[in-house]
Amino acid sequence: MPVTQTIEVSEKPLPGFIGDRAPMGMLIGGDWTQAASGETFETVNPATGSVLATVASGGPADVDRAVAAARRAFEEPSWASMNPHDRTLVLLRIADAMEANAEELAALESMDGGIPITVTRGMVADAAKTVRYYAGWPKILGTVNPVDASVHCYTVREPLGVCAGIIPWNGPLTMAVWKIAPALACGNTVILKPAEQTPLTALRLGQILAETGLPAGVVNIVTGFGETAGAAIAGHMSIDKVSFTGSTATGKEILRASLGNLKRVTLELGGKSPHIVMPDADIGAAARNAAAGFAMLTGQVCVAGTRILVHESVLDDFAAELATAVSAFRVGDPFDEQTMLGPVVSAEQFERVNSYVSLGVSEGAQIAFGGGRFDTPGYFVEPTVFAGVRNDMRLAREEIFGPVAALMPFRDADEAVRIANDTEYGLAAAVATSNVSTAHRLARKLRAGVVWVNTYSELDATFPFGGYKQSGIGRELGDKSLESFTELKSVFIRL
Ligand code: ADP
Ligand code: MG
């Protein structure tokens, strides 16, 4: 592969939170503690490859301690039985404290995950907004059910108990908040396990939670690897729910591990999302949305629009506009305010993305643009678009989790829908059209949890999110999270 550009990234001063070189502890029962085994791991800055911090590597014994602390906090008359209005006040204080520490949270997120600082600032702001949205939910109501006059029959929603969140590395603070905020709003206590690649913002959030008066044990942060800490959580007999975001393969393992105590499981998994460009679309705007849709966060997004389906009559125009839009993305130092794409998160991801570029070529597809390498020790990859892709190639079927897209022509809307739905995933889909009927017709036919029209990737705390097929089980955000973080009890009283 040709070297297209040199990228230089200077080392940034570490936020004070990381402190000296001592291993960073986990938050269990209100205390900062090392792993029972004494083991640690290092988290790396993917823009430079240098070690940021050493972090406790939790295992089964630590998960046991976290479960005991969370159970105590749930059962003591504290969090679950608190007046919901008082829980609202705590959640509002957490959102305020996140905003007060926004610049530090954004910097930590950018260092640990390689996400550009302009993006992480937006992520922190959105995370605080999501906490406020759930703070506004002391409104979880039951029903009175009309039976006959001699009975009183009603329903009530109750917290599940100890809820675990296992989250990935591609938007760590966002994911932490999606798991923690609705769980707390419903009166549950929480164990959060951040990804081993990006533990820092979860730990800083843990500190913020403790400082804002959240009772000890209500939220516990256990750092560690999936195979140890993660697996101990998924299989734990005293955890009531696990809410997981990550790969489909790991999601299936978690579902299997949950069988022991039939814990509640929600899974938000992978995707291979189609973006359909109709001939009547504003081609320039569609190309810019499609470019952002597959390349933003350097393609490390579960909703990435990696199969771009374009009507054959506009394919050439669209391809030219797409190339222009992608070449405008500045790849570079996450702390440079002009940077739009940082590195991928790890050496492993770097190898994986490059291997898919080679695979595409060996499957017979052609690189339309991109495919170059950068001269830098960081894990930077160039956004790459393939032409001549058939939907049965691995390039079009497997989630790459890097900025690699397949451009495919279609003849009519029926064919577009057929190709779009011909995937084992069903997380997201998009349509570009100027015809409102076409938009609604296609939105109806696409088998995906989220459909965007003339935009891409937009989410909101009120907007239920989740996948069809192997993209997941259940929905997060909006009032749907409140259903999945509560049990429904029916009470039947003969009067
Ligand atoms: P990736 O392969 O890109 O790291 P994963 O889906 O494996 O994505 O990881 C997402 C999260 O799941 C991380 O927090 C990881 O530690 C955790 N994890 C990985 N494997 C397991 C497992 N077997 N059980 C529980 N959690 C796991
Ligand atoms: Mg993994």
Side-chain angles (χ1 to χ4, degrees), residues 162-362:
V162 176
C163 296
I166 299 179
I167 59 173
W169 40 262
N170 59 336
L173 187 70
T174 308
M175 291 295 109
V177 159
W178 285 23
K179 308 302 182 197
I180 292 174
L184 294 185
C186 296
N188 299 286
T189 57
V190 175
I191 297 166
L192 182 77
K193 194 205 83 66
E196 52 272 34
Q197 295 86 349
T198 55
L200 296 181
T201 44
L203 291 172
R204 182 68 184 97
L205 180 63
Q207 211 178 44
I208 288 172
L209 296 173
E211 285 163 6
T212 47
L214 194 72
V218 172
V219 173
N220 306 274
I221 316 277
V222 175
T223 47
F225 290 93
E227 298 70 21
T228 48
I233 288 171
H236 205 286
M237 295 298 283
S238 183
I239 291 179
D240 299 295
K241 171 185 166 109
V242 60
S243 172
F244 171 76
T245 300
S247 62
T248 293
T250 301
K252 289 180 182 179
E253 281 184 47
I254 285 177
L255 191 57
R256 228 173 273 127
S258 73
L259 292 179
N261 69 335
L262 283 183
K263 59 173 65 64
R264 307 298 176 251
V265 178
T266 50
L267 303 174
E268 199 272 275
L269 309 175
K272 195 74 191 178
S273 298
H275 194 145
I276 299 176
V277 180
M278 298 301 286
D280 59 18
D282 173 338
I283 297 300
R288 287 189 295 278
N289 286 336
F294 88 85
M296 46 138 220
L297 291 183
T298 316
Q300 303 167 109
V301 214
C302 50
V303 296
T306 47
R307 291 185 300 140
I308 306 174
L309 313 181
V310 184
H311 191 268
E312 57 186 6
S313 67
V314 293
L315 184 63
D316 292 345
D317 281 357
F318 179 88
E321 294 275 0
L322 185 67
T324 305
V326 172
S327 62
F329 290 154
R330 265 263 300 264
V331 181
D333 183 348
F335 279 84
D336 180 336
E337 308 228 344
Q338 306 307 313
T339 292
M340 296 166 80
L341 303 179
V344 295
V345 76
S346 63
E348 187 188 349
Q349 265 319 101
F350 180 77
E351 291 312 324
R352 178 184 164 88
V353 175
N354 286 321
S355 77
Y356 270 101
V357 173
S358 309
L359 173 75
V361 172
S362 67

Side-chain angles (χ1 to χ4, degrees), residues 79 83-95 98 126-140 174-188 241 243 459-465 475-486:
W79 190 249
N83 182 320
H85 297 293
D86 294 333
R87 280 207 297 263
T88 290
L89 295 178
V90 176
L91 285 166
L92 291 175
R93 279 206 299 278
I94 292 169
M98 288 171 70
D126 281 345
K129 228 187 269 176
T130 301
V131 173
R132 278 202 191 96
Y133 172 79
Y134 283 107
W137 269 107
K139 302 163 189 149
I140 305 169
T174 308
M175 291 295 109
V177 159
W178 285 23
K179 308 302 182 197
I180 292 174
L184 294 185
C186 296
N188 299 286
K241 171 185 166 109
S243 172
L459 295 174
D460 189 88
T462 66
F463 188 68
F465 180 74
R475 295 291 178 271
E476 294 188 283
L477 298 185
D479 57 347
K480 299 301 163 233
S481 278
L482 304 170
E483 289 170 18
S484 72
F485 278 105
T486 50

Side-chain angles (χ1 to χ4, degrees), residues 360-376:
V361 172
S362 67
E363 285 189 299
Q366 301 90 45
I367 294 180
F369 54 89
R373 274 190 189 259
F374 294 103
D375 178 16
T376 165

Side-chain angles (χ1 to χ4, degrees), residues 6 17 96 102 138 159 256 278 400 440 477:
T6 300
F17 163 67
D96 290 345
R256 228 173 273 127
M278 298 301 286
I400 298 171
H440 284 296
L477 298 185

